[in-house]
Amino acid sequence: MKILVVLPTYNEAENIEKIISLIRKRSVDILIIDDNSNDGTSEIIKKYLTKDDKINLIQRPAKLGLGTAYVTGFKWALQRDYQYVFEMDADLSHDPSDIPRFIGKCEEGYDLVIGSRYTHGTISVVGWDFRRLLLSKFANKYATTILGLSFLTDVTSGYRCYRRTVLESIELDKIKSNGYAFQIEMVYKAFKKGFRISEIPIIFYERNSGSSKMDKKIVREAALMVWRLRFGG
Ligand SMILES: Nc1nc2c(ncn2[C@@H]2O[C@H](COP(=O)(O)OP(=O)(O)OP(=O)(O)O)[C@@H](O)[C@H]2O)c(=O)[nH]1
Ligand SMILES: [Mg+2]
């Protein structure tokens, strides 16, 4: 079974070695999409490229956003024979030892499995203040209610596993959003196409090192995008 983790990076020099080694322990391939990080991230990655042919790198000329990074990675995966494609953050917020549980859930017959921080009414986030938690919980409630996805608890989660057929069916060039909105848009499109979607519980650890790329613009984009998706704009 061929599995790929797409790992977008922007200034993750402090985290990249650790995350690469944790993922490779799981014997899955990695594709890193680095957006011209200026902290030496790509130089570190290049050391691995010569040693391990399961690690791949696409370098883009500038910070072009998370959404287009994933679309680039998905297309790369589809040109090859990967059956499952993961999204994962490079800042150690997502634990690669969860990978087998995602695959197990897919094997039960699900096409998209989301790693949720909020299953069964619990909150498994380490390191967020109350404001950030509230924003995330509210964003999820808002999006799932408007889009008819109330059977899901975490549609903004960036830790997930797609069966190949999902990525083949979604018109990746038509994806409009980039930040959190990208995660919501992908689940909604998979749902609209009739794919089976499920969640597994994960623990999310807020980054210890490096800097956040979250900002108000990303939140605004998500709030508006939900309505565009709902009314097909
Ligand atoms: N290639 C690429 N990667 C990005 C871009 N923006 C963010 N990333 C990466 O996407 C992942 C998630 O970004 P984060 O900055 O952690 O965003 P977040 O998780 O919403 O916010 P934090 O609270 O800071 O963790 C990380 O691996 C980033 O390095 C981008 O424009 N291009
Ligand atoms: Mg993060």
Side-chain angles (χ1 to χ4, degrees), residues 8 10 12 33 35 63 65-66 90-91 132 206-207 212-213:
Y10 184 70
E12 300 288 3
I33 314 283
D35 275 0
K63 189 175 188 310
L66 196 64
D91 57 359
R132 180 100 192 246
E206 180 52 12
R207 63 162 72 244
S212 175
K213 287 105 210 169

Side-chain angles (χ1 to χ4, degrees), residues 101-181:
R101 283 196 298 122
F102 279 90
I103 298 297
K105 199 75 186 175
C106 289
E107 307 267 90
E108 283 176 29
Y110 292 100
D111 306 301
L112 167 56
V113 174
I114 299 174
S116 171
R117 299 160 285 193
Y118 308 121
T119 49
H120 310 299
T122 61
I123 299 176
S124 28
V125 174
V126 178
W128 275 6
D129 60 20
F130 187 66
R131 231 183 109 229
R132 180 100 192 246
L133 266 179
L134 212 63
L135 172 68
S136 174
K137 285 286 282 183
F138 174 78
N140 269 292
K141 194 86 204 153
Y142 175 91
T144 54
T145 306
I146 293 166
L147 297 174
L149 297 171
S150 293
F151 62 101
L152 297 171
T153 60
D154 198 354
V155 291
T156 59
S157 171
Y159 195 6
R160 43 177 79 180
C161 178
Y162 296 91
R163 191 185 293 278
R164 179 187 185 88
T165 45
V166 178
L167 301 177
E168 283 170 344
S169 315
I170 292 176
E171 288 174 280
L172 296 171
D173 287 322
K174 293 201 175 150
I175 299 289
K176 300 186 199 83
S177 38
N178 229 336
Y180 280 149

Side-chain angles (χ1 to χ4, degrees), residues 21-148:
S21 83
L22 290 173
I23 297 171
R24 289 296 293 131
K25 266 194 201 151
R26 302 285 146 187
S27 304
V28 298
D29 295 8
I30 307 178
L31 171 64
I32 300 157
I33 314 283
D34 185 65
D35 275 0
N36 199 25
S37 297
N38 52 30
D39 68 345
T41 303
S42 65
E43 286 70 24
I44 299 171
I45 298 164
K46 280 177 192 155
K47 285 192 304 187
Y48 286 85
L49 298 181
T50 49
K51 287 187 289 188
D52 184 346
D53 66 356
K54 304 289 185 199
I55 301 175
N56 306 276
L57 170 67
I58 292 179
Q59 288 181 281
R60 302 198 302 173
K63 189 175 188 310
L64 299 172
L66 196 64
T68 60
Y70 275 126
V71 166
T72 301
F74 294 160
K75 286 182 179 171
W76 189 95
L78 292 179
Q79 285 161 5
R80 291 159 182 81
D81 57 348
Y82 291 103
Q83 284 151 278
Y84 293 109
V85 181
F86 276 82
E87 287 181 15
M88 193 190 290
D89 289 355
D91 57 359
L92 301 169
S93 287
H94 300 143
D95 183 352
S97 69
D98 293 334
I99 289 174
R101 283 196 298 122
F102 279 90
I103 298 297
K105 199 75 186 175
C106 289
E107 307 267 90
E108 283 176 29
Y110 292 100
D111 306 301
L112 167 56
V113 174
I114 299 174
S116 171
R117 299 160 285 193
Y118 308 121
T119 49
H120 310 299
T122 61
I123 299 176
S124 28
V125 174
V126 178
W128 275 6
D129 60 20
F130 187 66
R131 231 183 109 229
R132 180 100 192 246
L133 266 179
L134 212 63
L135 172 68
S136 174
K137 285 286 282 183
F138 174 78
N140 269 292
K141 194 86 204 153
Y142 175 91
T144 54
T145 306
I146 293 166
L147 297 174

